[in-house]
Amino acid sequence: MHTNAATFKKSSLCQEASYIVRKEGFRAFWKGNLVTIAHRLPYSSISFYAFESYKNVWQLILGVESQGENISADLCIRLVGGGFAGITVASLTYPLDLVRTRLAAQTNVIYYRGIWHALQTISREEGIVGLYKGMGATLLGVGPNLAISFSVYDTVRSYWQSHRPDDSTVLVSLACGSLSGVASSTVTFPLDLVRRRMQLEVAGGRARVYKTGLFGTLSHIIQTEGLRGLYRGILPEYYKVVPSIGIVFMTYEKMKQLLSDID
């Protein structure tokens, strides 16, 4: 974005995209993409593994042997399993998420020259705790985000397959994954916005904007931008999550199918 954390201005998606192209070129849309990939690989694998593991544990605790036995118990297991999976994966991969945000936010002045340089610079200038700036908002957001995402996906997919068992697994996973992404993003977007603002407050040597942490940042956004400010940028978020989350779940199901065929 071409505005800093203190002076976010109203602009449409097309205006913002045009500004980026004029000032930084078309390649700027992929700025920080390497660190995004470096973050997404462990993030996706850990989140799916953690969700399946937590789900199995809670099935044992609640005495539910298979899905479909008890709808309420199934939904509870999915929500709790997704929440714990979100906390686990966010705790393990957060520094890469912070670096990704910092690298993508650089415009004319290149302060961080890459993933390792950003990690070293942040550690040196802000201390090790600087690598976890905004993590509170992330934990509050990613827990319910994955809880909603996994529970919506599992529930809708199970319902769909029970009523239309002959439909393509790939298309069902893609559609259910996209729906789960919209649902989870809608609920947790304000906390994700707060996380990004906190991550950028001292990026590139800038002065602090939010001095009172998570709730101070949230209060500042509401006071200066109103309640609508908490959903600034939600439309591009939808454009991103609908295909990306759908593809992630589709790939996951396809890989599970391929690996089970090998076994």
Side-chain angles (χ1 to χ4, degrees):
M1 301 288 282
H2 62 275
T3 53
N4 61 32
T7 57
F8 276 82
K9 298 178 181 179
K10 294 183 179 179
S11 59
S12 69
L13 177 62
C14 291
Q15 289 173 331
E16 195 66 34
S18 299
Y19 180 89
I20 292 171
V21 172
R22 289 198 310 273
K23 295 296 182 180
E24 304 176 63
F26 192 73
R27 292 178 61 184
F29 288 117
W30 282 267
K31 182 180 294 181
N33 190 50
L34 179 61
V35 71
T36 297
I37 294 172
H39 171 259
R40 273 292 154 185
L41 283 172
Y43 184 93
S44 296
S45 58
I46 293 171
S47 61
F48 278 106
Y49 177 78
F51 173 69
E52 294 292 344
S53 299
Y54 286 126
K55 188 169 70 171
N56 291 336
V57 169
W58 280 100
Q59 282 177 337
L60 291 174
I61 293 173
L62 297 177
V64 179
E65 295 182 0
S66 61
Q67 291 188 15
E69 288 186 349
N70 186 316
I71 295 176
S72 298
D74 281 346
L75 182 59
C76 178
I77 288 169
R78 290 163 182 160
L79 285 169
V80 174
F84 275 100
I87 292 171
T88 300
V89 70
S91 300
L92 294 175
T93 63
Y94 187 79
L96 283 172
D97 185 39
L98 175 73
V99 168
R100 177 185 60 171
T101 303
R102 295 280 182 95
L103 289 175
Q106 294 184 130
T107 53
N108 297 326
V109 178
I110 304 300
Y111 196 78
Y112 306 113
R113 297 193 298 272
I115 299 173
W116 293 113
H117 180 257
L119 288 170
Q120 293 170 353
T121 303
I122 295 169
S123 299
R124 184 178 64 252
E125 295 182 353
E126 304 171 44
I128 296 299
V129 294
L131 294 173
Y132 293 89
K133 186 176 297 296
M135 186 173 175
T138 297
L139 291 178
L140 286 176
V142 77
N145 184 288
L146 287 189
I148 294 168
S149 183
F150 278 119
S151 60
V152 169
Y153 173 78
D154 257 11
T155 302
V156 175
R157 180 172 171 272
S158 296
Y159 180 83
W160 190 328
Q161 289 185 324
S162 67
H163 287 76
R164 299 178 62 92
D166 296 328
D167 285 355
S168 168
T169 301
V170 171
L171 293 179
V172 171
S173 299
L174 183 63
C176 294
S178 299
L179 180 61
S180 74
V182 171
S184 59
S185 292
T186 301
V187 174
T188 62
F189 186 81
L191 282 171
D192 193 50
L193 176 70
V194 169
R195 172 187 63 81
R196 289 194 299 269
R197 297 284 183 92
M198 292 179 69
Q199 286 179 339
L200 292 172
E201 66 174 341
V202 292
R206 286 202 297 263
R208 290 180 181 273
V209 176
Y210 311 113
K211 303 179 185 299
T212 52
L214 169 62
F215 294 105
T217 305
L218 191 63
S219 175
H220 185 273
I221 293 172
I222 294 173
Q223 289 175 6
T224 57
E225 304 173 48
L227 289 174
R228 292 180 61 184
L230 294 175
Y231 282 91
R232 186 178 303 285
I234 188 75
L235 189 58
E237 181 74 4
Y238 285 151
Y239 291 158
K240 181 185 74 173
V241 300
V242 168
S244 66
I245 303 301
I247 291 171
V248 166
F249 276 106
M250 179 188 70
T251 303
Y252 173 68
E253 295 295 343
K254 193 62 180 177
M255 290 302 298
K256 275 208 313 185
Q257 185 182 42
L258 292 174
L259 291 173
S260 63
D261 290 342
I262 292 175
D263 291 340

